[in-house]
Amino acid sequence: MYDPYNILGSAYLFNAEPEHLNNVYNEESKEQEPWKDSPGEVSTYDWRDYLGDPRYQRAYVDFFEDELVLNGYDWRKVLTTYLFAGKEPLINNLISGLGHPLIHLGYAYELSSRDIAMEALGMAATSYNHLHKYLDDPSYNKPTSNPSKSPLELLCRLQKDSRFDNVVSDAGPENLTPLFENHESLMLEYWNAWQITDPTNDFRASQMAAAALLVATVKPGSGAKFDFFLVHTLTTSHAVRILLPLLPAKYHIPLVRQWWLLTLSVYIAQLRPEILLSSVGGFHWKGRGWAWVDKRAVEGKHSLDAHFVKGLRAMKAAKATWGDKEGFYLKAAVRFGEEFDGWAFGKNSVEGAARQ
């Protein structure tokens, strides 16, 4: 349900030609699953009763689209009503499903699309899971003995933490739920270790960490592929960047902390690859600039790969937001654009996990 809009939006924002947009749509349409009827309808009286049940995907989207009509097509009003309602609001569980509800919501605002917005709500509803409790219940917010203001520093510390050596044996998304079931205290130790005291600069640091997780975890010349699941830490970070100026202030830090929880869990699930910053900092772009990146995104041989295009788009947007004095984002984008040759999935994963 999500990839056609996401890659179409990214390609559009890269100023792709109409012919390429048609090619993107036709290619992505081949892989979409047909709608399935839900067991029943969803109403204003029971809409929370079916949260987390993917069988109600169509019912939820139909319901939110009906609400859109009743609210005079004011999609922002519908989002406000259903994202922020109640003691356990949907806004606190956007990272389920590898963060796709968050990514979709970001594109809804970035493209000002009511259709994408209603699908984002439907995705958030059917992906709803246990992760909401970490944001809804303040008892999970506990001080740690070794805090840091740098998410990248914490990730490097995590990579060397031997307590995680036998937590998972093979990379893959199937590790995510057991991580919280069996190692919650360790997860929360690192989750609470990031001290957000200067929200703007701290979020800036998190965007750099997200780009590093994708690009700097692959050794140059190794022939290894970039990690499909780690790219989601970057594309969700991009969505957070879009949403922060648009959401009520009280949700800003919780949303960033949601991203951090997803990032930690995915990094551990993917066996904590070493982050080699020198592989980006020492990379020479050989005169290739952002125009080269743009062309790679819409004319390169991987221009129909949704997550490849979204990754490039996220790095370009980060550069536009924070500047790039040392050229980190440009180096990362050029290296990614040059060396990308398909995705690495977990040993026990299949490419179909891309549609989760």
Side-chain angles (χ1 to χ4, degrees), residues 50 54 62-63 85 89 204 229 231 249 253 285 291 293 310 313 340:
Y50 309 104
D62 287 345
F63 167 67
R204 176 192 210 160
F229 299 103
V231 75
I253 290 179
W285 59 79
V293 174
K310 289 189 292 182
R313 165 71 185 152
F340 180 82

Side-chain angles (χ1 to χ4, degrees), residues 38 191 201 270:
S38 298
W191 185 52
N201 284 323
Q270 296 307 100

Side-chain angles (χ1 to χ4, degrees), residues 41 67 74 93 109 135 174 179 196 206 267 272 293-294:
E41 295 183 350
E67 289 295 289
D74 186 342
N93 196 199
Y109 277 101
L135 281 300
E174 62 274 5
L179 274 177
I196 302 177
S206 75
Y267 183 58
R272 299 154 34 236
V293 174
D294 291 358

Side-chain angles (χ1 to χ4, degrees), residues 85 92 197 356:
N92 282 344
T197 56
Q356 287 186 356

Side-chain angles (χ1 to χ4, degrees), residues 43 102 140 154 170 312 343:
S43 73
L102 176 57
Y140 289 103
L154 287 169
D170 296 313
L312 289 176
W343 294 105

Side-chain angles (χ1 to χ4, degrees), residues 9-251:
S10 291
Y12 171 78
L13 293 167
F14 269 124
N15 296 313
E17 294 294 332
E19 182 179 356
H20 178 67
L21 295 177
N22 285 329
N23 290 338
V24 168
Y25 180 83
N26 290 333
E27 187 67 22
E28 285 297 318
S29 296
K30 297 175 185 177
E31 301 185 30
Q32 297 307 300
E33 296 180 1
W35 273 116
K36 295 180 181 178
D37 289 335
S38 298
E41 295 183 350
V42 172
S43 73
T44 54
Y45 303 102
D46 62 6
W47 73 274
R48 293 192 66 94
D49 293 351
Y50 309 104
L51 292 179
D53 189 338
R55 298 176 304 159
Y56 282 83
Q57 181 187 74
R58 183 166 190 171
Y60 270 115
V61 173
D62 287 345
F63 167 67
F64 291 127
E65 288 180 344
D66 288 344
E67 289 295 289
L68 181 66
V69 175
L70 293 173
N71 284 276
Y73 293 94
D74 186 342
W75 59 271
R76 292 175 179 84
K77 183 179 179 181
V78 178
L79 287 178
T80 297
T81 298
Y82 289 99
L83 279 179
F84 308 128
K87 294 181 179 180
E88 297 181 345
L90 284 183
I91 189 68
N92 282 344
N93 196 199
L94 296 180
I95 58 170
S96 55
L98 274 178
H100 284 119
L102 176 57
I103 295 168
H104 218 64
L105 186 63
Y107 275 100
Y109 277 101
E110 191 169 18
L111 298 170
S112 191
S113 169
R114 67 193 187 198
D115 294 322
I116 301 178
M118 296 307 102
E119 288 193 359
L121 279 177
M123 197 177 294
T126 54
S127 300
Y128 195 79
N129 65 13
H130 67 282
L131 293 176
H132 76 89
K133 68 181 182 181
Y134 299 110
L135 281 300
D136 289 330
D137 186 347
S139 69
Y140 289 103
N141 294 277
K142 302 175 181 178
T144 59
S145 58
N146 196 10
S148 173
K149 295 183 179 180
S150 168
L152 195 53
E153 177 189 326
L154 287 169
L155 289 168
C156 291
R157 185 193 304 173
L158 174 59
Q159 194 273 329
K160 299 175 182 178
D161 192 335
S162 61
R163 294 177 296 171
F164 288 92
D165 287 352
N166 298 312
V167 167
V168 294
S169 56
D170 296 313
E174 62 274 5
N175 295 321
L176 294 175
T177 298
L179 274 177
F180 288 95
E181 291 177 344
N182 303 321
H183 306 282
E184 182 182 75
S185 61
L186 277 177
M187 294 289 299
L188 296 184
E189 177 184 325
Y190 276 89
W191 185 52
N192 286 311
W194 183 23
Q195 287 191 329
I196 302 177
T197 56
D198 182 351
T200 299
N201 284 323
D202 292 342
F203 178 60
R204 176 192 210 160
S206 75
Q207 291 227 279
M208 180 177 176
L213 273 176
L214 172 62
V215 183
T217 50
V218 176
K219 293 181 180 180
S222 66
K225 297 179 183 292
F226 293 98
D227 192 291
F228 173 80
F229 299 103
L230 288 179
V231 75
H232 289 77
T233 68
L234 177 60
T235 51
T236 50
S237 177
H238 173 73
V240 172
R241 186 195 69 83
I242 296 298
L243 294 173
L244 285 179
L246 305 171
L247 299 181
K250 71 176 184 176
Y251 293 108

